[in-house]
Amino acid sequence: MEPIYVLSDPEREQLTAVLESVAKSPYENYEDFSQAVGDVIARGEVPSFFTDICARIHADRSSGASDAHALRNCPLDAEIPLLDLDDPVADKHAKKRTFVGEAFLELFAQLVKTPLLSYATRFNGDFFTDVVAINRYSGMQTGFSDSELVYHNDRTAHPVRADFISLLGMHCPEGEYIYTGFVDGRDLLAHLTDEEQAELRTAQFITPFDVFSRDNNKDLTVSEVHPILENHHSFRYLDTCTTAAPDAPVAAKDALLALKNAVVRADKTRHRIRTGDLFTFANQDGLHSRDKMEINDAAAARQRWLLKTYAFRDEAAAQRHSDRWLDGVRGRVGD
């Protein structure tokens, strides 16, 4: 996938200087950090080229023109540590003393008008999480492993799921070819009949919780019975894991098989996230994957680090989940 915009080095340096002025830590007090980024916007310090980029992405999402966008040569911290993969979260908190990457993601979210959310039982409730290969999850079907990932939504089994995901390449080894795949929900609909869509809109499917979620909450086993298709083209689906409920009719199982075929047949976008790339895409109005196309140094590939945010579609979507906010922190939801 070609980026919609490549920042020139002077543009990157100009925006980096603005972000370095945010003298707050997102891991000590997210609300203060978010407000500090908002103050940068209010003072008119954000370069016009970047506000124009964000306005374009917001317009594309609103019109349905595109739900996946990539930017290149984005601001990053001057020093980016390699993380200890036994406990990368603790290691990041110990080593990372500047927050340019986090400020960039927060600025992007505010300008595109998609409020961030976090999960109270994950990564200390941090709003900025790390897609890294945690050693104890090696080979498992979770975003925190070194494995490929089937097409899915993040947090499929959970009641609150982000509308958008943004991934910022912090450390992406050049010789390793790992791609993030994306298929738009509208392209999936094109391969499903009206009857199949109607079955998928009925609450007769279940999805097991992923291993990372179960480790954080032993009470989590399998989701409530849920539809796969919601709204116009929102999908709640984890390939190879989402199944028809035990008492579901044959028509539901046939519709699920039709969806599996649609995932194979639908047009797809793939983007290889490089260091300094931002890849942002719809979580519910599409499905995404991780494809290891060519790995030349497995140890180097395991050091790949993407900084990640979850976001609501808009302020109204955030307000609908206000009853799930915990600890008085806006946008933090339970597991």
Side-chain angles (χ1 to χ4, degrees):
M1 177 179 176
E2 288 296 318
I4 65 164
Y5 195 89
V6 179
L7 279 69
S8 68
D9 288 345
E11 286 175 333
R12 174 177 50 79
E13 291 165 5
Q14 180 186 14
L15 186 53
T16 299
V18 171
L19 299 173
E20 287 176 338
S21 71
V22 178
K24 299 288 183 180
S25 166
Y27 306 112
E28 293 178 1
N29 189 313
Y30 170 73
E31 287 191 314
D32 286 352
F33 174 81
S34 179
Q35 182 61 55
V37 174
D39 291 343
V40 166
I41 298 172
R43 291 194 298 265
E45 296 176 2
V46 181
S48 60
F49 79 85
F50 191 66
T51 59
D52 291 345
I53 293 168
C54 293
R56 173 182 170 183
I57 293 173
H58 182 265
D60 281 354
R61 290 175 174 179
S62 298
S63 68
S66 178
D67 273 336
H69 299 84
L71 304 178
R72 179 150 292 159
N73 200 29
C74 300
L76 295 177
D77 300 86
E79 295 184 11
I80 298 175
L82 291 181
L83 299 180
D84 178 351
L85 299 181
D86 284 334
D87 191 348
V89 177
D91 199 44
K92 178 184 72 172
H93 287 186
K95 293 177 177 176
K96 194 171 187 294
R97 309 315 304 167
T98 62
F99 310 106
V100 171
E102 290 87 345
F104 176 72
L105 287 169
E106 176 69 28
L107 177 66
F108 175 78
Q110 291 194 27
L111 290 175
V112 182
K113 303 177 183 178
T114 52
L116 298 186
L117 72 145
S118 73
Y119 294 91
T121 59
R122 283 192 167 204
F123 303 120
N124 307 314
D126 290 344
F127 284 75
F128 303 91
T129 61
D130 310 298
V131 180
V132 290
I134 301 175
N135 284 332
R136 66 182 177 276
Y137 297 114
S138 178
M140 299 183 186
Q141 190 63 200
T142 170
F144 309 105
S145 77
D146 52 4
S147 68
E148 294 194 319
L149 298 177
V150 297
Y151 276 97
H152 67 287
N153 321 103
D154 272 27
R155 313 282 281 165
T156 313
H158 295 261
V160 180
R161 298 169 306 285
D163 295 304
F164 287 97
I165 289 171
S166 294
L167 299 170
L168 179 62
M170 299 294 285
H171 177 73
C172 303
E174 275 299 313
E176 313 310 316
Y177 294 84
I178 304 171
Y179 286 76
T180 301
F182 177 76
V183 55
D184 192 297
R186 286 163 291 206
D187 291 327
L188 292 174
L189 289 184
H191 296 276
L192 296 167
T193 67
D194 291 344
E195 292 76 17
E196 290 162 348
Q197 292 181 35
E199 286 295 329
L200 294 173
R201 291 185 182 280
T202 304
Q204 48 194 358
F205 304 94
I206 55 174
T207 303
F209 285 89
D210 64 281
V211 62
F212 187 85
S213 295
R214 295 197 304 270
D215 281 355
N216 282 276
N217 186 340
K218 300 299 183 184
D219 293 331
L220 300 178
T221 54
V222 68
S223 72
E224 80 285 359
V225 178
H226 65 82
I228 288 177
L229 179 57
E230 300 175 300
N231 306 316
H232 180 260
H233 59 277
S234 298
F235 283 83
R236 186 177 179 182
Y237 177 68
L238 173 57
D239 199 18
T240 74
C241 293
T242 299
T243 61
D247 58 349
V250 172
K253 299 174 184 178
D254 289 342
L256 181 59
L257 289 174
L259 174 59
K260 290 178 179 290
N261 290 336
V263 171
V264 174
R265 295 169 179 161
D267 290 338
K268 300 173 182 68
T269 295
R270 289 184 175 88
H271 185 68
R272 179 189 173 209
I273 301 174
R274 302 179 185 179
T275 301
D277 274 13
L278 174 71
F279 188 35
T280 182
F281 52 87
N283 182 46
Q284 296 195 60
D285 287 351
L287 304 173
H288 60 281
S289 67
R290 181 195 294 159
D291 304 312
K292 297 168 69 175
M293 305 300 288
E294 182 181 342
I295 302 299
N296 296 297
D297 183 337
R302 295 189 79 252
Q303 287 289 341
R304 181 176 184 254
W305 174 17
L306 308 179
L307 195 62
K308 176 180 186 176
T309 58
Y310 294 116
F312 289 116
R313 183 181 308 278
D314 50 29
E315 187 66 32
Q319 290 292 340
R320 284 196 295 274
H321 296 290
S322 60
D323 61 330
R324 296 182 182 273
W325 298 346
L326 303 179
D327 304 324
V329 179
R330 187 179 182 285
R332 183 168 291 158
V333 299
D335 207 326

Coordinates of all heavy atoms in Angstrom, one line a residue, residues 229-277:
L229 N -22.3 -9.7 11.8 CA -22.4 -8.6 11.0 C -23.3 -7.6 11.7 O -24.4 -7.9 12.1 CB -23.0 -8.9 9.7 CG -23.3 -7.8 8.6 CD1 -22.0 -7.0 8.3 CD2 -23.8 -8.4 7.3
E230 N -22.9 -6.3 11.9 CA -23.6 -5.3 12.5 C -23.5 -4.0 11.7 O -22.7 -3.9 10.8 CB -23.1 -5.0 13.9 CG -23.2 -6.2 14.8 CD -22.5 -6.0 16.2 OE1 -21.3 -5.7 16.2 OE2 -23.3 -6.1 17.2
N231 N -24.4 -3.0 12.0 CA -24.4 -1.7 11.3 C -24.5 -2.1 9.8 O -25.2 -3.0 9.4 CB -23.2 -0.9 11.6 CG -23.0 -0.7 13.1 OD1 -24.0 -0.4 13.8 ND2 -21.8 -0.9 13.6
H232 N -23.8 -1.3 8.9 CA -23.9 -1.6 7.5 C -22.8 -2.7 7.1 O -23.1 -3.7 6.5 CB -23.7 -0.4 6.6 CG -23.7 -0.7 5.2 ND1 -22.6 -0.8 4.4 CD2 -24.8 -0.8 4.3 CE1 -22.9 -1.1 3.2 NE2 -24.2 -1.1 3.1
H233 N -21.6 -2.5 7.6 CA -20.5 -3.4 7.2 C -19.5 -3.6 8.3 O -18.3 -3.7 8.1 CB -19.8 -3.0 5.9 CG -19.2 -1.6 6.0 ND1 -19.9 -0.5 5.8 CD2 -17.9 -1.2 6.3 CE1 -19.1 0.6 5.9 NE2 -17.9 0.1 6.2
S234 N -20.0 -3.7 9.6 CA -19.1 -3.9 10.8 C -19.1 -5.5 11.0 O -20.2 -6.1 11.1 CB -19.6 -3.2 12.0 OG -19.6 -1.8 11.8
F235 N -17.9 -6.0 11.1 CA -17.8 -7.5 11.3 C -17.2 -7.7 12.7 O -16.2 -7.1 13.1 CB -17.0 -8.1 10.2 CG -17.7 -8.2 8.9 CD1 -17.8 -7.2 8.0 CD2 -18.3 -9.4 8.6 CE1 -18.5 -7.3 6.9 CE2 -19.0 -9.6 7.4 CZ -19.1 -8.5 6.5
R236 N -17.7 -8.7 13.4 CA -17.2 -9.2 14.7 C -16.8 -10.6 14.5 O -17.6 -11.5 14.6 CB -18.2 -9.0 15.8 CG -17.7 -9.4 17.2 CD -18.8 -9.1 18.2 NE -18.3 -9.5 19.6 CZ -19.0 -9.4 20.7 NH1 -20.3 -9.0 20.6 NH2 -18.5 -9.8 21.8
Y237 N -15.5 -10.8 14.1 CA -15.1 -12.1 13.6 C -13.6 -12.4 13.7 O -12.8 -11.5 13.5 CB -15.5 -12.2 12.1 CG -15.1 -13.5 11.4 CD1 -15.7 -14.7 11.7 CD2 -14.1 -13.4 10.4 CE1 -15.3 -15.8 11.0 CE2 -13.7 -14.6 9.8 CZ -14.3 -15.8 10.1 OH -13.9 -17.0 9.4
L238 N -13.3 -13.5 14.2 CA -11.9 -14.0 14.3 C -11.8 -15.3 13.6 O -12.3 -16.3 14.0 CB -11.5 -14.2 15.8 CG -10.2 -14.8 16.2 CD1 -9.0 -14.0 15.6 CD2 -10.0 -15.0 17.7
D239 N -11.1 -15.2 12.4 CA -11.1 -16.4 11.5 C -10.5 -17.6 12.3 O -9.5 -17.4 13.0 CB -10.3 -16.0 10.3 CG -10.5 -17.0 9.1 OD1 -11.5 -17.7 9.2 OD2 -9.7 -17.0 8.2
T240 N -11.0 -18.8 12.0 CA -10.7 -20.0 12.6 C -11.1 -20.2 14.1 O -11.0 -21.3 14.6 CB -9.2 -20.4 12.5 OG1 -8.5 -19.6 13.5 CG2 -8.6 -20.1 11.1
C241 N -11.7 -19.1 14.7 CA -12.1 -19.2 16.1 C -13.6 -18.9 16.3 O -14.2 -19.6 17.1 CB -11.2 -18.2 16.9 SG -9.5 -18.6 17.0
T242 N -14.1 -17.9 15.6 CA -15.5 -17.6 15.7 C -16.3 -18.7 15.1 O -16.0 -19.1 13.9 CB -15.9 -16.3 15.0 OG1 -15.1 -15.2 15.6 CG2 -17.4 -16.0 15.1
T243 N -17.3 -19.3 15.8 CA -18.1 -20.4 15.4 C -19.5 -20.2 15.6 O -19.9 -19.2 16.3 CB -17.7 -21.7 16.1 OG1 -17.9 -21.5 17.5 CG2 -16.2 -22.0 15.9
A244 N -20.4 -21.0 15.0 CA -21.8 -20.9 15.3 C -22.0 -21.5 16.7 O -21.3 -22.4 17.2 CB -22.6 -21.8 14.3
A245 N -23.0 -20.9 17.5 CA -23.3 -21.4 18.8 C -23.8 -22.8 18.7 O -24.3 -23.2 17.6 CB -24.3 -20.5 19.4
P246 N -23.7 -23.6 19.8 CA -24.1 -25.0 19.7 C -25.5 -25.2 19.2 O -25.8 -26.2 18.6 CB -23.9 -25.5 21.2 CG -22.9 -24.6 21.7 CD -23.1 -23.3 21.1
D247 N -26.5 -24.3 19.5 CA -27.9 -24.5 19.1 C -28.2 -23.7 17.9 O -29.4 -23.6 17.5 CB -28.8 -24.1 20.3 CG -28.6 -22.7 20.7 OD1 -27.6 -22.0 20.3 OD2 -29.4 -22.2 21.5
A248 N -27.2 -23.2 17.2 CA -27.5 -22.4 16.0 C -28.0 -23.3 14.9 O -27.6 -24.5 14.7 CB -26.2 -21.7 15.5
P249 N -28.9 -22.8 14.0 CA -29.4 -23.6 12.9 C -28.4 -23.8 11.8 O -27.3 -23.1 11.8 CB -30.6 -22.8 12.4 CG -30.2 -21.4 12.7 CD -29.5 -21.5 14.1
V250 N -28.7 -24.7 10.9 CA -27.8 -25.0 9.8 C -27.5 -23.8 9.0 O -26.4 -23.6 8.5 CB -28.4 -26.2 9.0 CG1 -27.5 -26.4 7.7 CG2 -28.4 -27.5 9.8
A251 N -28.6 -22.9 8.8 CA -28.4 -21.7 8.0 C -27.3 -20.8 8.5 O -26.6 -20.2 7.8 CB -29.7 -21.0 7.9
A252 N -27.2 -20.8 9.9 CA -26.1 -19.9 10.5 C -24.7 -20.5 10.1 O -23.8 -19.8 9.8 CB -26.3 -19.9 12.0
K253 N -24.6 -21.8 10.2 CA -23.3 -22.5 9.9 C -23.0 -22.3 8.4 O -21.8 -22.0 8.1 CB -23.4 -23.9 10.3 CG -23.6 -24.2 11.7 CD -23.9 -25.6 12.1 CE -24.2 -25.8 13.6 NZ -24.5 -27.2 13.9
D254 N -24.0 -22.3 7.6 CA -23.8 -22.1 6.1 C -23.3 -20.7 5.9 O -22.4 -20.4 5.1 CB -25.0 -22.4 5.3 CG -25.3 -23.9 5.3 OD1 -24.4 -24.7 5.6 OD2 -26.5 -24.3 4.9
A255 N -23.9 -19.7 6.6 CA -23.5 -18.3 6.4 C -22.1 -18.1 6.9 O -21.4 -17.3 6.3 CB -24.5 -17.4 7.2
L256 N -21.7 -18.8 8.0 CA -20.3 -18.7 8.5 C -19.4 -19.2 7.4 O -18.3 -18.6 7.2 CB -20.2 -19.4 9.8 CG -18.8 -19.4 10.4 CD1 -18.4 -18.0 10.8 CD2 -18.8 -20.3 11.7
L257 N -19.7 -20.3 6.8 CA -18.8 -20.8 5.7 C -18.8 -19.9 4.6 O -17.7 -19.7 4.0 CB -19.4 -22.2 5.3 CG -19.2 -23.3 6.2 CD1 -19.9 -24.6 5.7 CD2 -17.7 -23.6 6.5
A258 N -19.9 -19.2 4.3 CA -19.9 -18.2 3.2 C -19.0 -17.1 3.5 O -18.3 -16.5 2.6 CB -21.3 -17.7 2.9
L259 N -19.0 -16.6 4.8 CA -18.1 -15.6 5.2 C -16.6 -16.0 5.1 O -15.8 -15.2 4.6 CB -18.4 -15.1 6.6 CG -17.4 -14.1 7.2 CD1 -17.4 -12.8 6.4 CD2 -17.8 -13.8 8.7
K260 N -16.3 -17.2 5.4 CA -14.9 -17.7 5.3 C -14.5 -17.6 3.8 O -13.3 -17.2 3.5 CB -14.8 -19.1 5.8 CG -14.9 -19.2 7.3 CD -14.8 -20.7 7.8 CE -14.9 -20.8 9.3 NZ -13.7 -20.3 10.0
N261 N -15.4 -18.0 2.9 CA -15.1 -17.9 1.5 C -14.9 -16.4 1.1 O -14.1 -16.1 0.3 CB -16.2 -18.5 0.7 CG -16.2 -20.0 0.8 OD1 -15.2 -20.6 1.2 ND2 -17.3 -20.7 0.6
A262 N -15.8 -15.5 1.6 CA -15.7 -14.1 1.3 C -14.4 -13.5 1.7 O -13.8 -12.7 1.0 CB -16.8 -13.4 1.9
V263 N -13.8 -13.9 2.9 CA -12.6 -13.4 3.3 C -11.5 -13.8 2.3 O -10.5 -13.0 2.1 CB -12.2 -14.0 4.7 CG1 -10.8 -13.6 5.1 CG2 -13.2 -13.4 5.8
V264 N -11.5 -15.0 1.8 CA -10.5 -15.4 0.8 C -10.7 -14.6 -0.5 O -9.7 -14.2 -1.1 CB -10.7 -16.9 0.5 CG1 -9.7 -17.3 -0.6 CG2 -10.4 -17.7 1.8
R265 N -11.9 -14.4 -1.0 CA -12.2 -13.8 -2.3 C -12.1 -12.3 -2.3 O -11.8 -11.7 -3.4 CB -13.5 -14.2 -2.8 CG -13.7 -15.8 -3.0 CD -15.1 -16.2 -3.2 NE -15.2 -17.6 -3.4 CZ -16.3 -18.3 -3.3 NH1 -17.5 -17.7 -2.9 NH2 -16.4 -19.6 -3.6
A266 N -12.3 -11.6 -1.2 CA -12.5 -10.2 -1.2 C -11.1 -9.5 -1.6 O -10.0 -10.0 -1.3 CB -13.0 -9.7 0.1
D267 N -11.2 -8.3 -2.2 CA -10.0 -7.5 -2.4 C -9.4 -7.1 -1.1 O -10.1 -6.8 -0.1 CB -10.3 -6.2 -3.2 CG -10.7 -6.5 -4.6 OD1 -10.4 -7.6 -5.1 OD2 -11.4 -5.7 -5.2
K268 N -8.0 -7.1 -1.0 CA -7.3 -6.8 0.2 C -6.2 -5.7 0.0 O -5.7 -5.6 -1.2 CB -6.7 -8.1 0.8 CG -7.7 -9.1 1.1 CD -7.1 -10.4 1.5 CE -8.1 -11.5 1.8 NZ -8.8 -11.9 0.5
T269 N -5.9 -5.0 1.0 CA -4.8 -4.1 1.0 C -3.8 -4.7 2.0 O -4.1 -5.2 3.1 CB -5.3 -2.7 1.5 OG1 -6.2 -2.2 0.6 CG2 -4.1 -1.8 1.7
R270 N -2.5 -4.5 1.6 CA -1.4 -5.0 2.5 C -0.4 -3.8 2.6 O 0.0 -3.2 1.6 CB -0.8 -6.2 2.1 CG -1.6 -7.5 2.2 CD -0.9 -8.7 1.8 NE -1.7 -9.9 2.1 CZ -2.6 -10.5 1.2 NH1 -2.8 -9.9 0.1 NH2 -3.2 -11.5 1.6
H271 N 0.0 -3.6 3.9 CA 1.1 -2.5 4.1 C 2.2 -3.1 4.9 O 1.9 -3.6 6.0 CB 0.4 -1.3 4.7 CG 1.4 -0.2 4.9 ND1 1.9 0.5 3.8 CD2 2.0 0.4 6.0 CE1 2.8 1.4 4.2 NE2 2.9 1.4 5.5
R272 N 3.4 -2.9 4.5 CA 4.6 -3.3 5.3 C 4.9 -2.0 6.1 O 5.4 -1.0 5.5 CB 5.7 -3.7 4.4 CG 7.0 -4.0 5.2 CD 8.1 -4.2 4.2 NE 9.4 -4.3 4.9 CZ 10.6 -4.0 4.5 NH1 10.7 -3.4 3.3 NH2 11.7 -4.2 5.2
I273 N 4.7 -2.1 7.4 CA 5.0 -0.9 8.3 C 6.5 -0.9 8.5 O 7.1 -1.8 9.0 CB 4.3 -1.1 9.6 CG1 2.8 -1.2 9.4 CG2 4.6 0.1 10.5 CD1 2.0 -1.4 10.7
R274 N 7.1 0.3 8.1 CA 8.5 0.5 8.3 C 8.7 1.4 9.5 O 7.7 2.1 10.0 CB 9.1 1.1 7.0 CG 9.0 0.3 5.8 CD 9.6 1.0 4.6 NE 9.3 0.2 3.4 CZ 9.7 0.6 2.2 NH1 10.4 1.8 2.0 NH2 9.5 -0.1 1.1
T275 N 9.9 1.5 10.0 CA 10.2 2.5 11.1 C 9.8 3.9 10.6 O 10.2 4.4 9.6 CB 11.7 2.5 11.4 OG1 12.0 1.1 11.8 CG2 12.0 3.4 12.6
G276 N 8.9 4.5 11.5 CA 8.4 5.9 11.1 C 7.1 5.9 10.3 O 6.6 6.9 10.0
D277 N 6.6 4.7 10.0 CA 5.3 4.6 9.3 C 4.2 4.7 10.3 O 4.2 4.1 11.4 CB 5.1 3.3 8.5 CG 5.7 3.4 7.1 OD1 6.5 4.3 6.8 OD2 5.5 2.5 6.3

